[in-house]
Amino acid sequence: MGAPPSSQPFISPPPSSQPFMGPPSSRPFGGPPSSQPFGGPPSSQPFAGPRASQPFSVPPASQPFTGPLASQPFAGPPAAQPLSGLPASSQPFSGLPASQPFSGVPASQPFSGLPAPQPFSGVPASQPFSGLPASRPFSGLPASQPFSGLPASQPYMAPPTPFPGPPTSSSPFGTPSWQSPAQQGMPPMPGTTQAPPRMFGMPPHTPGQTMAPVPPVMGHSPLAGHQVSTQSKIDPNQIPRPVSSTSVPLFETRQGNQANIPPPATSDFIVKDNGNCSPRLMRCTMNQIPCTGDLLSTSSMPLALMVQPFALPHPSEEPIQVVDFGESGPLRCSRCKGYMNPFMRFVDQGRQFVCNLCGFTNETPRDYYCNLGPDGRRRDADERPELCRGTVEFVATKEYMVRDPMPAVFFFVIDVSMNAIQTGATAAACTAINQALADLPEGPRTMVGIATFDSSIHFYNLKRASQQPLMLIVPDIQDVYTPLHTDLIVPLTECRQNLEQLLDGIPNMFENNRVAESAFGAAIKAAFLAMKPTGGKLLVFQSVLPSVGIGSLFSREAEGRTNVSSGDKEAHKLLQPGDKTLKTMAIEFAEYQVCVDIFLTTQTFVDIASISVVPRTTGGQVYYYYPFSVLSDPAKLYNDLRWNISRPQGFEAVMRIRCSQGLQVQEYSGNFCKRIPTDIDLPAIDCDKTIMVTFKHDDKFQEGSECAFQCALLYTTVYGQRRIRIINLSLPCTSMLSNLFRSADLDSQFTCFLKQAANGIPASPLSQVREQITNLCINILCSYRKFCATVSSSGQLILPEALKLLPLYTLALVKSIGLRNDGRLDDRSYWVSRSASLSIPMAFPLVYPRMISIHDLASKEDDGSLLSATIPLSSEHINDDGIYLLENGEDGLIYVGNMVNPDTVQRIFGVSSVDGIPTQLVLQHFDNDLSKKLNDVVDETRRQRCSYLRLRLCRKGDPSGLFFLSYMVEDKIPGGLSYVEFLVQVHRQIQTKMA
Amino acid sequence: MAADLAGVGVGAAAPVDPDGVRMTWNAWPRSKVEASKCVIPVAASIAPIRASPSLLVLPYAPLRCKPPCAAVLNPFARVDFAAKIWICPLCFSRNQFPPHYAAMSETNVPGELYPQCTTVEYAPPPLDAAAAAVPPPVFLFVLDTCLIEEEMGFVKSAMRRAIGLLPDHALVGFVTFGTQVHLYELGFSDLSKIYVFRGTKEISKEQILDQLGLSAAGLRAGTAGAPGYPKARLEANGLLPSGSVNRFLLPASDCEYTLNALLDELQTDQWPVEAGNRALRCTGVAFSVAAGLLGACMPGTGARIIALVGGPCTEGPGMIVSKDLSEPVRSHKDLDKDAASHFHKAIKFYDSLAKQLVNQGHVLDLFASALDQVGVAEMKVVVERTGGLVVLAESFGHSVFKDSFKRIFEDGEQSLGLSFNGTLEINCSKDIKIQGVVGPCASLEKKGAVCADTVIGQGNTTSWRMCGLDRSTCLTAFFDISPSERSSQPGTTNPQLYIQFLTNYQNPEGQMRLRVTTVTRRWVDGSANTEELVEGFDQETAAVVLARYISLKMEMEEEFDATRWLDRSLIRLCSRFGDYRKDDPASFTLHPNFSIFPQFMFNLRRSQFVQVFNNSPDETAYFRMLLNRESITNSVVMIQPSLLSYSFNSPPAPALLDVASILVDRILLLDAYFSVVIFHGMTIAQWRNMGYQNQPEHQAFAQLLQAPQDDAQMIIRDRFPVPRLVICDQHGSQARFLLAKLNPSATYNSVHEVAPGSDVIFTDDVSLQVFCEHLQRLAVQS
């Protein structure tokens, strides 16, 4: 958990002077070259983690993680991993100028340079990114970017060669060497192996041995047979809880021609793509695919893919390679149009290839022909990324464009109505935009535009070389139009100065604005009309409920309150969009490649349920700052905006998932627009967005065959190149239920539940959704209990090892903001909207936040694992003399007990008493160890989550303290069970079903 | 006979008339039948506020007769000084003088009773301070930006000059339009702020006010008084004093700099124009926006929309032609065949716009400069109803536009004396009914007993609004004679009839004035007294009234054969009033009061008012608007141009409007009102080309050349719109401007008869001589 999975999105908030900046020596890049780039020392801990941390588990023999260490692929510390071929000091980061991923070059830039990167060379001089201002000397960076030094994407520069293949050629194509038949150590052909798949973290087993891994059970739990009266005998410390590991294992996606089971999504790992894609990009709910639909329904588990096509890679991972097929374009199956991938089987001496998706036999084009080696693989397979990598990018030809690739257009729309002005939201937005301008992609293709609105819409003509901008007002908010044909959206380079002046001026200009109405719908429609020719990103800063013009809304909250008292049967309807106009508009936006992100800086109800339809349909997202505070929120606003525009992303994208015959896509779920059944349109797609794809059987698979999934994402980079990103995952098929459970992926399954719950909230009453979610969990466990567990101990609650945390997470989900009865409408809608596109690593903290104690930080070992010492979310673990930090990926709650040592308070908050701490918390830097460590922890969390935590102080005894305690999901709350009680309930229900 | 007719020059002095009222008949037939036998309608041409040096201005409120008459005390009233009673000459009611007239006696009469003061002007002191505050005039410029760069340059410099000439306190607003309408908020200091309206959509006044934050509620807040409205509530609605119209209309002194800066930056319309298409120009919406904005002004504020239009409206309401260039702008032929697809819709739109502006009391001035038509024919209704000015030129760089535009803003002698908010009321003696008024005004729909059943022009009312009027504004009122039973009884009859014109208006200084003109004319009893009728005939007025009447009929009536109608009327008139023996054409003579009327008719038949097919609908509309609003003298020139001849041997003299007047050694000066032509005979032209005028010994020649130039400038200086000056030589291409107006007494058919050095006209038109011969023959037919 300690190492950075991603690049660093945040820099200091504008007002304070670099509050997040530690001493330079603590920066990975500021230190001597030998300092560790991964933020944590290489741990020698095996991935499995200390056994002691799973006290609840069953006898060692059945413990799946107990296999001999030597057999664990990730057992060694990073230094002993394939990386080790390079001396530590030769790691690419040490001496190289650090590239600045967020200061203009997003992490995706490695793909945007030359078509043929040279991944094998290892020589920095052959960097494929030469066309870009890729590497930036660290020293040259502005001091206001304190996080800039982190090793974000620079590992792409000169990746170590973790490849098993001989680094014979520095280029995959174009040199004669790839035609050479000399290939050694060729792995066996896919699909031909007879060896039983060896699962990640599993001891070897024989396929026939269905019960081989004795599932972990709740030991001789007194639970059995006895109920409430015996609860006290359950040691709450013995029940399954998440554990975190600080090791950074290397994960090979395939080994021995078998798909490996990926490590937990929330852990830190380095992926080596050797056929299957990185699990970050695409992850399946089960790592073996049931041969039949019956088997799947017996298991009760969902079959779905979590696709996060731009997921940030680990800095040490090899970049995704770009393949240019020239004018002919990428090679595809002529029947299903699947793209060439490592699992396509070449036959007839390579003259033909069989599509792994549809089974069709294609002729190999002459210029792609290569003969086969003795193992049946093409001799050039290792030199061609599309034949040996799970993920590649193809350069798209004209065929894939309906027009020239669009420029990167950023259009800002700011609410200047009375409320927005008076709460400081307008000023915060203007400042944030002004500062974020520096982070927009550089170059002539970056275009910007700006508009403000209250009860009318104000555009600005920025293209006026010498004069101040011209304000153009569109007063007709029922039927809007664009006030100029050109000059509303201009290249940033041409209007930078004008724009900055304007942004400085807007808060003053509207200082005395008395217009309380807000024409949100009309404003975005008008901005859309201006963007229609190009498409692009529309960033809207909205502060009040849209009250006039098209798509105006009314305060349904009030109506909701009255309805709740009369029973919540209809209450969920308030979580459905109140206005169809916005949906219609959003579909039109998507059609013209306009993506809308909405920043809600509000202190009132804004009807997120209705508003969020727009970002959801256009591939955007909602940011929610409630209640907006001019003190603590501008920093988050700025950092969110900055990350929004600088993160790796693509425009005008179309995505389709293909899978092997036997399965078919059932549904896509996420933030996109779907106009035809097979494809989804993504006006924009970025590294934070995940799309869930569910599948259903339409045929049977053969035991031992593999089922392939291929995600094809056609998109335009911010620099205007058209690309097709192909992500492949091939998983073995099984007809045995126990294999399904063994290979079940808790992370994906839970995320799937979360998204299903989120989808269900607007559609059905809360109690029903909660029941459904609980039932999903129970059905899975029941199926396992029924078909896989030994029959002997019927009184035991037996949990499959892979899913042992499912009850805990289910309980947490049921108690989460979205499913709680007492939440505000907007909070719930926001939760729903956020869940829709949430990635797996972010889904967990949302539901089961991370809590650590901070009063004792100073005494903890500074080994980079400060964040790993998590505390279970139970009030039993909260002491009155402690201070705790709880973070859910978006908010950070600092809880202060009422008996805290005043000295500790003084050191952290700079005030002597708990009561003196301001509620609008802005974390200060004080010159003491504790304060430094706390700041480090917060910074590290922000970096991990790619989100600027909004800190909030919670005091024991205050309503804020109660709010904090509402996150203690293991506690018994009114109308909610404690963790132990929940396990008991689950167990009872399983027993009922078994009976 | 024809020669006699022509011989009586048009220079014949018009009857001196201190009242600015001229009538077709100065002696009125007493009965309806008699009136219809008179052929020429009984009508009066009034110049309501014409400049008059002897005008008496009375600084108090007028005395009015008791309702419903409400006529103002006038010199024709019978006054009983002892009883302090006056008897209204129109209705014969007895009215008591109020106490402040107590000092009145036979030797001490108030001004309005001076016999020579049939026209007086009342300037009553304002009732309170609020009324005394003169609202500043408003000039709202509406500028077309779908122009070529060169035209844009011309129009910008014209605008700059105009802004410089505006009085400091005048409020100025600025609107530009092309594909969309841009309304500039001049009062916004932070940066240039523009409200943009789409060109395709018709928007109501309420919508415009709403969208500009000027809706009724907003204005209440703006006037700050707003009793009964707690301030907090108004603020909650976002309505602050800044919501007032003053955001858009600023005193000229405050916004001159801003406006000039805006003009400097102003570009032509930036929306793309596809090949083969016209620029998208939303003139209609622009006018709506301008009118809507002015709707937020205080009622009664004198405001003008000054529209500078460079092409046809191709989008939105008021569109006259589609943007597709393959569709030509409608012609008279299209209108005749009802093939102008946009015409009626556009007329409807402009008609409603006219109603709105008349309600608000605001004026639309139209300055159209384009080689093709811009839609004056459709917009005519707005301009005419509101009393706006209209100038049609072919370029913003042409002097017709440039000089005319300048004149509007100039002070002093040449100033037009632009006035606002005029209302005209007509009171008349019992047996007279009003059919209507033709000219730049709109009916106020105040129906009264004196309204006739038949309507001509703006009828069915006794009161008319003239949103804009100036010294030369002239209206034509048509009367109907319908004696009641009782009044025809001998003994009770009054031999005189009375008509009173009351004009309330805001003079250029902003003060409200009431001008009262009372005229009296004689009744003529019975059919025997033809002599009296003849004596009272005003042939110039009759010609002009007939021209206005026939223009109206041509517009209103489908398939109306104007020429035939004119011929028949003329024949009837001649039969009625000519001296002749039956069936003896040679015996035919006309009274001098009628003698040049046939010549007027001959020229009217050939004029642009009747022969519309030589002109575009825009030009026709333009000519007719000016015909309707100009004085009789000017209108006569439009019908029958005047021709002056310059030669060495004689002083400049009027010449016959005949091709025979062209001589090689003469210079002719033709004043056709819309154009002034200086025509050099061939010899003169040759001499001039050889440069004799530059030689000292030929100074006389230089003077001869200069004289018509000076006279032309005299004409041009006093005329609005400024006429086009054409200088041409005999046989030159430009000579057509003269030839078209001349009587074709010599054509290619009569070449052999032509004197050397003279000219011929290539036409098949009949000459005046032939016309008169026919007339004589037909008039005497039994």
Side-chain angles (χ1 to χ4, degrees), chain A residues 66-75 198-204 255:
Chain A
T66 55
L69 287 188
S71 75
Q72 295 208 359
F74 303 139
R198 201 184 55 160
M199 309 309 294
F200 167 74
M202 285 276 191
Q255 225 169 18

Side-chain angles (χ1 to χ4, degrees), chain B residues 129-208:
Chain B
V134 175
V138 178
F139 295 89
L140 179 56
F141 291 92
V142 178
L143 176 59
D144 186 354
T145 55
C146 289
L147 302 174
I148 55 167
E149 288 292 344
E150 191 189 14
E151 286 289 294
M152 195 73 178
F154 289 139
V155 79
K156 276 185 187 178
S157 66
M159 281 272 303
R160 279 199 200 92
R161 198 177 324 132
I163 293 163
L165 287 170
L166 285 172
D168 280 353
H169 71 294
L171 296 177
V172 184
F174 189 42
V175 173
T176 62
F177 68 96
T179 306
Q180 295 177 329
V181 180
H182 288 183
L183 168 59
Y184 291 76
E185 183 173 331
L186 300 172
F188 194 74
S189 51
D190 291 328
L191 38 73
S192 304
K193 187 170 171 183
I194 301 171
Y195 281 78
V196 183
F197 295 86
R198 187 177 10 178
T200 47
K201 195 173 146 186
E202 185 162 355
I203 27 178
S204 69
K205 174 185 165 189
E206 287 70 31
Q207 277 173 318
I208 291 164

Side-chain angles (χ1 to χ4, degrees), chain B residues 6 12 152 212 220 229 239 245 257 267 354 385 447-448 462 464 543 549 611 623 627 653 711 734-736 774 777-778:
Chain B
M152 195 73 178
L212 297 177
R220 267 203 301 282
Y229 286 87
L239 304 166
V245 73
Y257 175 79
Q267 289 177 304
R385 295 275 169 79
K447 258 192 120 163
T462 58
W464 294 262
Y549 184 59
Q611 297 301 325
F623 296 143
L627 174 72
D711 289 355
Q734 301 281 297
R736 67 182 189 275
H774 279 78
R777 191 155 46 75
L778 292 166

Side-chain angles (χ1 to χ4, degrees), chain B residues 15-64:
Chain B
V16 179
D17 177 21
D19 298 320
V21 177
R22 286 180 70 173
M23 296 195 182
T24 47
W25 302 95
N26 288 304
W28 289 34
R30 181 73 97 164
S31 75
K32 216 179 174 86
V33 179
E34 282 301 309
S36 74
K37 277 189 192 160
C38 286
V39 183
I40 306 295
V42 181
S45 156
I46 329 129
I49 59 163
R50 66 178 216 140
S52 161
S54 59
L55 183 69
L56 184 67
V57 180
L58 304 170
Y60 48 84
L63 275 193
R64 282 184 175 257

Side-chain angles (χ1 to χ4, degrees), chain A residues 825-848:
Chain A
L825 274 184
D826 266 356
D827 287 340
R828 205 178 298 158
S829 296
Y830 173 63
W831 190 90
V832 169
S833 118
R834 185 164 146 77
S835 303
S837 68
L838 206 58
S839 67
I840 301 174
M842 293 300 285
F844 282 89
L846 176 71
V847 173
Y848 193 88

